[in-house]
Amino acid sequence: MSIPSWANIYPRLCELYLESERDHPNNYFEHKTVSANLLRQPHDPYYIELEQVLSFMDSDAWREFKKKATKNVILKDKWGWNTQLFDTFHEARGYAFLKEQGYSEVHVIPEENDRKTPDFKGTGDQGMAFLEAKRIHDSDEENEKLVELMKQKCMVMYEMGHFLSEPFKNKLKDTVQKANDQLKSYDHGNNVRRILFLSIRLDNRDATNETKQQIEQYLAKVGTGIEIVHKIENDFSYD
């Protein structure tokens, strides 16, 4: 078995790669852009951060995580993106978040057939927490546009939006409600943190600081007694 030259820098990412179907045409790590970035000097900040996140996992959590992640390494959505793998990486960030919050024991909650459950349970001196990690993806319309632009090998100028559309508000509200149901499926009293760990990918035309502020305000309004920790994935440097 050939060990990639980036294995010492990214040991856990390397484990995912080596335990996945390496010869599969959809393997994320075999994509030429990914391969180049893993070899980058200086090291790629995205993969450095991701490796640090994965290193938070103890041996049991890492073993459970790999079962899901190695399957997702070769999965692509209808647009050709490795969306399920990125969703899984976001779950790993949720685990790391609980560790950073001081919960000494963090466990994966097994999925059940008869009810939706949170992703993680954390326990420590400060008590107990449940965490559900979710991502909101960009729209089908945005993905259609991106795929077409890649085919044409051209760029497009967006007419920037500065407000939350009603469909996006509904998506936010639905995501929060689903997380609320999952987080409250375990009744452990009131002295428990219930956390929605949310990552949002906006359509490019909506990625403005005004929209970012409106999302914060809207999440505060639709929160239903759970704690919402969110981040926006888009780059706002051009806004």
Side-chain angles (χ1 to χ4, degrees):
M1 179 183 296
S2 176
I3 307 297
S5 57
W6 45 267
N8 289 336
I9 307 300
Y10 310 110
R12 289 211 152 172
L13 284 172
C14 185
E15 276 190 60
L16 289 182
Y17 169 59
L18 293 177
E19 295 182 27
S20 67
E21 294 183 49
R22 290 182 294 160
D23 57 351
H24 195 285
N26 291 343
N27 192 296
Y28 170 76
F29 294 101
E30 289 291 349
H31 191 281
K32 60 181 180 180
T33 302
V34 176
S35 298
N37 285 338
L38 287 167
L39 293 169
R40 238 181 71 176
Q41 294 289 342
H43 304 312
D44 189 296
Y46 171 78
Y47 291 111
I48 289 292
E49 181 269 343
L50 182 55
E51 180 66 32
Q52 290 172 344
V53 164
L54 297 178
S55 71
F56 272 96
M57 294 186 175
D58 61 28
S59 57
D60 290 338
W62 176 238
R63 184 169 54 252
E64 289 301 312
F65 177 81
K66 282 194 297 180
K67 289 179 183 178
K68 178 187 292 187
T70 51
K71 294 176 183 177
N72 291 341
V73 166
I74 62 170
L75 294 183
K76 288 190 175 184
D77 61 20
K78 62 181 179 180
W79 309 111
W81 319 130
N82 294 94
T83 300
Q84 287 177 261
L85 180 61
F86 295 134
D87 290 350
T88 310
F89 287 154
H90 178 60
E91 292 176 15
R93 290 185 173 91
Y95 180 101
F97 174 81
L98 287 177
K99 282 288 190 178
E100 290 172 329
Q101 290 287 295
Y103 293 96
S104 55
E105 298 290 333
V106 180
H107 299 285
V108 177
I109 298 177
E111 296 180 355
E112 299 180 15
N113 293 327
D114 58 342
R115 65 171 171 172
K116 295 291 186 179
T117 60
D119 290 317
F120 301 109
K121 174 184 176 181
T123 55
D125 292 340
Q126 70 273 55
M128 183 183 301
F130 293 106
L131 183 143
E132 172 63 22
K134 289 190 180 296
R135 286 182 74 225
I136 292 180
H137 310 130
D138 33 15
S139 67
D140 285 354
E141 179 185 3
E142 177 79 354
N143 281 301
E144 286 176 1
K145 186 182 297 183
L146 290 172
V147 170
E148 186 59 32
L149 290 173
M150 288 177 65
K151 290 179 181 177
Q152 297 176 6
K153 297 182 179 180
C154 65
M155 297 181 65
V156 66
M157 295 298 293
Y158 286 88
E159 181 180 349
M160 302 305 290
H162 296 276
F163 60 91
L164 290 183
S165 67
E166 287 305 314
F168 189 79
K169 285 182 180 179
N170 291 334
K171 186 185 291 188
L172 274 176
K173 185 176 181 180
D174 182 61
T175 301
V176 171
Q177 185 57 56
K178 286 179 179 176
N180 178 69
D181 293 343
Q182 289 172 260
L183 289 164
K184 293 184 177 179
S185 64
Y186 279 68
D187 184 9
H188 287 272
N190 295 323
N191 192 25
V192 175
R193 290 180 70 185
R194 294 179 172 87
I195 306 164
L196 165 57
F197 190 73
L198 178 64
S199 187
I200 301 168
R201 179 75 191 178
L202 293 166
D203 289 357
N204 283 322
R205 73 176 195 87
D206 296 327
T208 68
N209 280 309
E210 288 89 345
T211 305
K212 185 178 181 180
Q213 293 168 5
Q214 291 175 37
I215 287 173
E216 292 176 3
Q217 295 166 359
Y218 190 75
L219 286 175
K221 185 169 67 174
V222 299
T224 53
I226 61 175
E227 184 178 341
I228 302 176
V229 177
H230 81 281
K231 73 168 187 174
I232 311 279
E233 296 179 8
N234 305 72
D235 176 13
F236 288 85
S237 60
Y238 52 83
D239 183 28

